[in-house]
Amino acid sequence: MSKLYRVLTLANWEEAKTKGIVARCGNDHKADGVNLNLPEAVNYTASKYFTPNEKPVLLEVDTTEFSDHIEWRYAIENEPWLRPLARIKGIPVDCVVSVTSIDPKLLND
């Protein structure tokens, strides 16, 4: 099983559970794919894009179903790790292995 991670708001996760798919966000539309994270990128992503009042959650995603559609983008100065981008419409909820609340202390106010 290949695992990557996705950070999103609790509200987006609740919506995804009813629709069966984790929809793309604004940055995903710009990139024309679903941005995913390696473990070392999770804290950076959470603190850069989310605030405590959004109650972000971390999804652990089994990418086996769409691994052929993942583009491995190079590291950049502020993000010194590979940056996976899944060229899919959204993450099927069935691919989510676990959901964990993110510690608000890690986030911007």
PDB file of all heavy atoms in Angstrom, residues 5 7 36-47 79 81-84:
ATOM      1  N   TYR A   5      -0.502  11.862   2.104  1.00  0.00           N
ATOM      2  CA  TYR A   5      -1.345  12.585   3.054  1.00  0.00           C
ATOM      3  C   TYR A   5      -1.991  13.800   2.404  1.00  0.00           C
ATOM      4  O   TYR A   5      -1.488  14.362   1.437  1.00  0.00           O
ATOM      5  CB  TYR A   5      -0.501  13.001   4.268  1.00  0.00           C
ATOM      6  CG  TYR A   5       0.062  11.796   4.949  1.00  0.00           C
ATOM      7  CD1 TYR A   5       1.279  11.250   4.546  1.00  0.00           C
ATOM      8  CD2 TYR A   5      -0.649  11.146   5.951  1.00  0.00           C
ATOM      9  CE1 TYR A   5       1.773  10.101   5.141  1.00  0.00           C
ATOM     10  CE2 TYR A   5      -0.157   9.999   6.538  1.00  0.00           C
ATOM     11  CZ  TYR A   5       1.055   9.478   6.132  1.00  0.00           C
ATOM     12  OH  TYR A   5       1.533   8.327   6.713  1.00  0.00           O
ATOM     13  N   VAL A   7      -4.177  17.393   3.787  1.00  0.00           N
ATOM     14  CA  VAL A   7      -4.704  18.224   4.867  1.00  0.00           C
ATOM     15  C   VAL A   7      -5.898  18.979   4.304  1.00  0.00           C
ATOM     16  O   VAL A   7      -5.827  19.547   3.208  1.00  0.00           O
ATOM     17  CB  VAL A   7      -3.642  19.223   5.387  1.00  0.00           C
ATOM     18  CG1 VAL A   7      -4.212  20.067   6.522  1.00  0.00           C
ATOM     19  CG2 VAL A   7      -2.392  18.489   5.842  1.00  0.00           C
ATOM     20  N   LEU A  36      -0.966  16.342  -2.852  1.00  0.00           N
ATOM     21  CA  LEU A  36      -0.807  15.420  -1.731  1.00  0.00           C
ATOM     22  C   LEU A  36       0.517  15.724  -1.048  1.00  0.00           C
ATOM     23  O   LEU A  36       1.318  16.511  -1.560  1.00  0.00           O
ATOM     24  CB  LEU A  36      -0.840  13.978  -2.233  1.00  0.00           C
ATOM     25  CG  LEU A  36      -2.178  13.555  -2.846  1.00  0.00           C
ATOM     26  CD1 LEU A  36      -2.032  12.264  -3.632  1.00  0.00           C
ATOM     27  CD2 LEU A  36      -3.233  13.397  -1.762  1.00  0.00           C
ATOM     28  N   ASN A  37       0.734  15.137   0.105  1.00  0.00           N
ATOM     29  CA  ASN A  37       1.937  15.418   0.882  1.00  0.00           C
ATOM     30  C   ASN A  37       2.668  14.157   1.289  1.00  0.00           C
ATOM     31  O   ASN A  37       2.035  13.160   1.645  1.00  0.00           O
ATOM     32  CB  ASN A  37       1.599  16.179   2.164  1.00  0.00           C
ATOM     33  CG  ASN A  37       0.974  17.518   1.905  1.00  0.00           C
ATOM     34  OD1 ASN A  37      -0.191  17.714   2.189  1.00  0.00           O
ATOM     35  ND2 ASN A  37       1.734  18.439   1.362  1.00  0.00           N
ATOM     36  N   LEU A  38       3.986  14.248   1.297  1.00  0.00           N
ATOM     37  CA  LEU A  38       4.820  13.266   1.972  1.00  0.00           C
ATOM     38  C   LEU A  38       4.738  13.590   3.463  1.00  0.00           C
ATOM     39  O   LEU A  38       4.386  14.719   3.833  1.00  0.00           O
ATOM     40  CB  LEU A  38       6.265  13.384   1.492  1.00  0.00           C
ATOM     41  CG  LEU A  38       6.523  13.026   0.031  1.00  0.00           C
ATOM     42  CD1 LEU A  38       7.965  13.346  -0.336  1.00  0.00           C
ATOM     43  CD2 LEU A  38       6.229  11.557  -0.219  1.00  0.00           C
ATOM     44  N   PRO A  39       5.071  12.649   4.336  1.00  0.00           N
ATOM     45  CA  PRO A  39       4.977  12.923   5.782  1.00  0.00           C
ATOM     46  C   PRO A  39       5.736  14.171   6.214  1.00  0.00           C
ATOM     47  O   PRO A  39       5.252  14.944   7.043  1.00  0.00           O
ATOM     48  CB  PRO A  39       5.572  11.668   6.430  1.00  0.00           C
ATOM     49  CG  PRO A  39       5.411  10.600   5.416  1.00  0.00           C
ATOM     50  CD  PRO A  39       5.504  11.276   4.072  1.00  0.00           C
ATOM     51  N   GLU A  40       6.926  14.405   5.641  1.00  0.00           N
ATOM     52  CA  GLU A  40       7.730  15.554   6.055  1.00  0.00           C
ATOM     53  C   GLU A  40       7.138  16.896   5.635  1.00  0.00           C
ATOM     54  O   GLU A  40       7.573  17.944   6.111  1.00  0.00           O
ATOM     55  CB  GLU A  40       9.170  15.419   5.536  1.00  0.00           C
ATOM     56  CG  GLU A  40       9.295  15.248   4.048  1.00  0.00           C
ATOM     57  CD  GLU A  40       9.335  13.789   3.593  1.00  0.00           C
ATOM     58  OE1 GLU A  40       8.696  12.928   4.219  1.00  0.00           O
ATOM     59  OE2 GLU A  40      10.005  13.529   2.582  1.00  0.00           O
ATOM     60  N   ALA A  41       6.127  16.894   4.775  1.00  0.00           N
ATOM     61  CA  ALA A  41       5.510  18.141   4.316  1.00  0.00           C
ATOM     62  C   ALA A  41       4.224  18.494   5.057  1.00  0.00           C
ATOM     63  O   ALA A  41       3.695  19.592   4.903  1.00  0.00           O
ATOM     64  CB  ALA A  41       5.215  18.041   2.826  1.00  0.00           C
ATOM     65  N   VAL A  42       3.718  17.587   5.868  1.00  0.00           N
ATOM     66  CA  VAL A  42       2.409  17.786   6.507  1.00  0.00           C
ATOM     67  C   VAL A  42       2.381  19.016   7.414  1.00  0.00           C
ATOM     68  O   VAL A  42       1.480  19.854   7.305  1.00  0.00           O
ATOM     69  CB  VAL A  42       1.984  16.513   7.274  1.00  0.00           C
ATOM     70  CG1 VAL A  42       0.775  16.781   8.160  1.00  0.00           C
ATOM     71  CG2 VAL A  42       1.691  15.386   6.296  1.00  0.00           C
ATOM     72  N   ASN A  43       3.329  19.151   8.321  1.00  0.00           N
ATOM     73  CA  ASN A  43       3.309  20.296   9.237  1.00  0.00           C
ATOM     74  C   ASN A  43       3.434  21.616   8.484  1.00  0.00           C
ATOM     75  O   ASN A  43       2.769  22.596   8.816  1.00  0.00           O
ATOM     76  CB  ASN A  43       4.411  20.183  10.285  1.00  0.00           C
ATOM     77  CG  ASN A  43       4.100  19.132  11.324  1.00  0.00           C
ATOM     78  OD1 ASN A  43       2.985  18.633  11.417  1.00  0.00           O
ATOM     79  ND2 ASN A  43       5.096  18.780  12.101  1.00  0.00           N
ATOM     80  N   TYR A  44       4.291  21.656   7.478  1.00  0.00           N
ATOM     81  CA  TYR A  44       4.450  22.858   6.658  1.00  0.00           C
ATOM     82  C   TYR A  44       3.119  23.234   6.003  1.00  0.00           C
ATOM     83  O   TYR A  44       2.677  24.378   6.071  1.00  0.00           O
ATOM     84  CB  TYR A  44       5.526  22.639   5.594  1.00  0.00           C
ATOM     85  CG  TYR A  44       5.603  23.749   4.580  1.00  0.00           C
ATOM     86  CD1 TYR A  44       6.370  24.886   4.827  1.00  0.00           C
ATOM     87  CD2 TYR A  44       4.916  23.664   3.375  1.00  0.00           C
ATOM     88  CE1 TYR A  44       6.433  25.911   3.900  1.00  0.00           C
ATOM     89  CE2 TYR A  44       4.979  24.683   2.445  1.00  0.00           C
ATOM     90  CZ  TYR A  44       5.737  25.805   2.709  1.00  0.00           C
ATOM     91  OH  TYR A  44       5.796  26.820   1.789  1.00  0.00           O
ATOM     92  N   THR A  45       2.477  22.267   5.376  1.00  0.00           N
ATOM     93  CA  THR A  45       1.208  22.513   4.683  1.00  0.00           C
ATOM     94  C   THR A  45       0.138  22.980   5.658  1.00  0.00           C
ATOM     95  O   THR A  45      -0.578  23.946   5.393  1.00  0.00           O
ATOM     96  CB  THR A  45       0.742  21.238   3.958  1.00  0.00           C
ATOM     97  OG1 THR A  45       1.742  20.878   2.994  1.00  0.00           O
ATOM     98  CG2 THR A  45      -0.592  21.441   3.264  1.00  0.00           C
ATOM     99  N   ALA A  46       0.024  22.294   6.785  1.00  0.00           N
ATOM    100  CA  ALA A  46      -0.993  22.657   7.771  1.00  0.00           C
ATOM    101  C   ALA A  46      -0.786  24.081   8.273  1.00  0.00           C
ATOM    102  O   ALA A  46      -1.732  24.874   8.333  1.00  0.00           O
ATOM    103  CB  ALA A  46      -0.977  21.677   8.937  1.00  0.00           C
ATOM    104  N   SER A  47       0.444  24.427   8.612  1.00  0.00           N
ATOM    105  CA  SER A  47       0.694  25.756   9.182  1.00  0.00           C
ATOM    106  C   SER A  47       0.614  26.868   8.135  1.00  0.00           C
ATOM    107  O   SER A  47       0.267  27.992   8.464  1.00  0.00           O
ATOM    108  CB  SER A  47       2.044  25.792   9.890  1.00  0.00           C
ATOM    109  OG  SER A  47       3.094  25.649   8.972  1.00  0.00           O
ATOM    110  N   GLU A  79       9.942  24.294  -0.123  1.00  0.00           N
ATOM    111  CA  GLU A  79       9.402  22.951   0.059  1.00  0.00           C
ATOM    112  C   GLU A  79      10.451  21.943  -0.402  1.00  0.00           C
ATOM    113  O   GLU A  79      10.384  21.433  -1.511  1.00  0.00           O
ATOM    114  CB  GLU A  79       8.096  22.799  -0.727  1.00  0.00           C
ATOM    115  CG  GLU A  79       7.014  23.776  -0.286  1.00  0.00           C
ATOM    116  CD  GLU A  79       5.760  23.709  -1.143  1.00  0.00           C
ATOM    117  OE1 GLU A  79       5.511  22.679  -1.803  1.00  0.00           O
ATOM    118  OE2 GLU A  79       5.019  24.702  -1.152  1.00  0.00           O
ATOM    119  N   TRP A  81      11.180  18.893  -0.563  1.00  0.00           N
ATOM    120  CA  TRP A  81      10.786  17.490  -0.652  1.00  0.00           C
ATOM    121  C   TRP A  81      10.043  17.302  -1.964  1.00  0.00           C
ATOM    122  O   TRP A  81       9.591  18.271  -2.587  1.00  0.00           O
ATOM    123  CB  TRP A  81       9.882  17.113   0.530  1.00  0.00           C
ATOM    124  CG  TRP A  81       8.853  18.160   0.808  1.00  0.00           C
ATOM    125  CD1 TRP A  81       7.734  18.451   0.071  1.00  0.00           C
ATOM    126  CD2 TRP A  81       8.864  19.124   1.871  1.00  0.00           C
ATOM    127  NE1 TRP A  81       7.061  19.506   0.617  1.00  0.00           N
ATOM    128  CE2 TRP A  81       7.733  19.943   1.723  1.00  0.00           C
ATOM    129  CE3 TRP A  81       9.727  19.366   2.944  1.00  0.00           C
ATOM    130  CZ2 TRP A  81       7.422  20.983   2.593  1.00  0.00           C
ATOM    131  CZ3 TRP A  81       9.420  20.399   3.804  1.00  0.00           C
ATOM    132  CH2 TRP A  81       8.279  21.194   3.628  1.00  0.00           C
ATOM    133  N   LEU A  82       9.901  16.064  -2.399  1.00  0.00           N
ATOM    134  CA  LEU A  82       9.090  15.794  -3.580  1.00  0.00           C
ATOM    135  C   LEU A  82       7.653  16.209  -3.294  1.00  0.00           C
ATOM    136  O   LEU A  82       7.168  16.084  -2.166  1.00  0.00           O
ATOM    137  CB  LEU A  82       9.157  14.313  -3.946  1.00  0.00           C
ATOM    138  CG  LEU A  82      10.486  13.830  -4.518  1.00  0.00           C
ATOM    139  CD1 LEU A  82      10.444  12.328  -4.719  1.00  0.00           C
ATOM    140  CD2 LEU A  82      10.799  14.537  -5.828  1.00  0.00           C
ATOM    141  N   ARG A  83       6.980  16.710  -4.335  1.00  0.00           N
ATOM    142  CA  ARG A  83       5.627  17.244  -4.158  1.00  0.00           C
ATOM    143  C   ARG A  83       4.654  16.484  -5.069  1.00  0.00           C
ATOM    144  O   ARG A  83       4.492  16.819  -6.231  1.00  0.00           O
ATOM    145  CB  ARG A  83       5.628  18.739  -4.471  1.00  0.00           C
ATOM    146  CG  ARG A  83       6.575  19.513  -3.544  1.00  0.00           C
ATOM    147  CD  ARG A  83       6.760  20.980  -3.927  1.00  0.00           C
ATOM    148  NE  ARG A  83       7.216  21.124  -5.285  1.00  0.00           N
ATOM    149  CZ  ARG A  83       6.559  21.831  -6.222  1.00  0.00           C
ATOM    150  NH1 ARG A  83       5.444  22.452  -5.951  1.00  0.00           N
ATOM    151  NH2 ARG A  83       7.049  21.906  -7.443  1.00  0.00           N
ATOM    152  N   PRO A  84       4.013  15.423  -4.548  1.00  0.00           N
ATOM    153  CA  PRO A  84       3.121  14.615  -5.378  1.00  0.00           C
ATOM    154  C   PRO A  84       1.839  15.350  -5.752  1.00  0.00           C
ATOM    155  O   PRO A  84       1.205  15.997  -4.925  1.00  0.00           O
ATOM    156  CB  PRO A  84       2.823  13.394  -4.509  1.00  0.00           C
ATOM    157  CG  PRO A  84       3.139  13.810  -3.109  1.00  0.00           C
ATOM    158  CD  PRO A  84       4.146  14.903  -3.186  1.00  0.00           C
TER     159      PRO A  84
END
